[in-house]
Amino acid sequence: MIFSDRSRLVCRLTKIAIITGSLCWNPVLPGSGDAVGVEIGLANTPTTPAPILPQSQKLTSPKVPALDTSIVPGKRVGAITPKTTYADLVKIFGKQRLTSKKVYGAEGLVVFPGTLITLGKNRSLTVAWKDAKQLQPLQVIIADPTFKTASGIGMGTSLAKLRQILGEFKITGLGWDYGNQVIGLSPAIQPQYTGLSIGVDADRIAAKQFPKDYRAVSGDGVTPAASDPHWKPLKMHVSTLSLYFPQNPLPKVEQPQKKKP
């Protein structure tokens, strides 16, 4: 979603990002009516490798047989749907692949029970649950590049490819609380991506090589179009990806405003 001090990496509880012509929304963290949903506890962060399991929990097999890796916005991530329970995860992935973890809401003020699903090296999913009963998933955080939408959106997808798929949109300025988010999809495209939260970031080496371009698209109140030429040398790509299930009412929130000089 995409990337700064940890305290600035997560959206405020009162501002959840949703795409307006919205690509998605965050049912847990209220956000901007014109912004993409920001994933719980991982907003504005670069691509994060899956946590390393303790030796006793390491996997015996690198792959899950017949793994469904399709993302269907508003409906499912692979076999994980709005009706999936923890018991279902055990059946789908095997208990040895599941690890309990905390999923943090806005600025760490809200904590949700979560389940990390380790699928391989740097490949994981995290399910955030409504409560400790683990009967109703709120969000699936996708950190596995093999999971993609039918149109081809997944972790690592280039900005150029996103533009081919989504048409014109905007990106909130890099490196602040609500930054790095795809926003402003057209009304014709938005319904196809309900609940899907997309964050992008620059390649780290490119950001250092082109500091002027990086600064030009960074900061609060900066919302460049995806076609802005400053993005090109930065090698922008999808760095955070989440699916929120449409089971809670959508809050309306204001779009980030430009700061007055």
Side-chain angles (χ1 to χ4, degrees):
M1 213 141 179
I2 324 197
F3 312 100
S4 83
D5 184 304
R6 175 82 181 176
S7 63
R8 294 179 59 79
L9 299 182
V10 187
C11 286
R12 298 175 183 272
L13 184 61
T14 56
K15 293 210 171 187
I16 207 172
I18 61 176
I19 288 182
T20 330
S22 175
L23 177 60
C24 70
W25 75 288
N26 184 326
V28 180
L29 308 179
S32 169
D34 196 38
V36 166
V38 178
E39 63 184 62
I40 304 171
L42 296 178
N44 305 336
T45 62
T47 304
T48 304
I52 299 175
L53 294 176
Q55 187 68 31
S56 62
Q57 294 181 320
K58 286 189 176 181
L59 307 178
T60 57
S61 173
K63 295 183 179 180
V64 177
L67 180 65
D68 183 346
T69 58
S70 56
I71 301 172
V72 182
K75 295 184 178 180
R76 63 185 180 87
V77 175
I80 303 173
T81 74
K83 296 183 179 181
T84 297
T85 66
Y86 178 82
D88 292 328
L89 294 185
V90 173
K91 294 177 182 177
I92 296 168
F93 300 102
K95 191 171 183 178
Q96 75 277 12
R97 296 181 180 273
L98 309 182
T99 306
S100 296
K101 65 175 295 182
K102 295 178 181 179
V103 181
Y104 291 89
E107 299 183 353
L109 298 177
V110 180
V111 182
F112 299 91
T115 300
L116 172 69
I117 307 166
T118 303
L119 302 174
K121 184 178 180 180
N122 296 339
R123 295 179 53 212
S124 68
L125 304 173
T126 298
V127 177
W129 302 99
K130 181 178 179 180
D131 55 39
K133 294 180 180 180
Q134 300 182 109
L135 298 176
Q136 187 177 19
L138 296 177
Q139 173 198 26
V140 180
I141 301 165
I142 302 158
D144 185 334
T146 65
F147 282 77
K148 297 182 184 296
T149 66
S151 59
I153 298 174
M155 291 291 290
T157 299
S158 69
L159 178 58
K161 180 67 173 180
L162 280 181
R163 291 182 63 199
Q164 292 177 7
I165 297 170
L166 302 176
E168 291 306 314
F169 53 87
K170 294 183 178 181
I171 301 171
T172 57
L174 306 183
W176 68 293
D177 290 5
Y178 311 110
N180 303 67
Q181 304 304 307
V182 172
I183 66 170
L185 293 186
S186 73
I189 292 293
Q190 181 274 325
Q192 302 174 39
Y193 294 93
T194 300
L196 186 65
S197 171
I198 299 177
V200 297
D201 201 5
D203 175 83
R204 293 187 179 187
I205 295 177
K208 293 180 179 179
Q209 291 177 332
F210 301 96
K212 291 183 179 179
D213 291 289
Y214 189 86
R215 287 195 297 269
V217 291
S218 297
D220 183 352
V222 177
T223 312
S227 58
D228 190 300
H230 290 293
W231 295 120
K232 188 173 182 179
L234 298 177
K235 299 181 181 180
M236 301 297 295
H237 58 278
V238 174
S239 60
T240 59
L241 194 63
S242 294
L243 184 65
Y244 300 91
F245 293 119
Q247 54 201 7
N248 296 323
L250 292 170
K252 288 188 177 182
V253 290
E254 56 190 60
Q255 182 178 0
Q257 300 295 315
K258 291 186 176 180
K259 288 184 175 180
K260 295 182 180 179

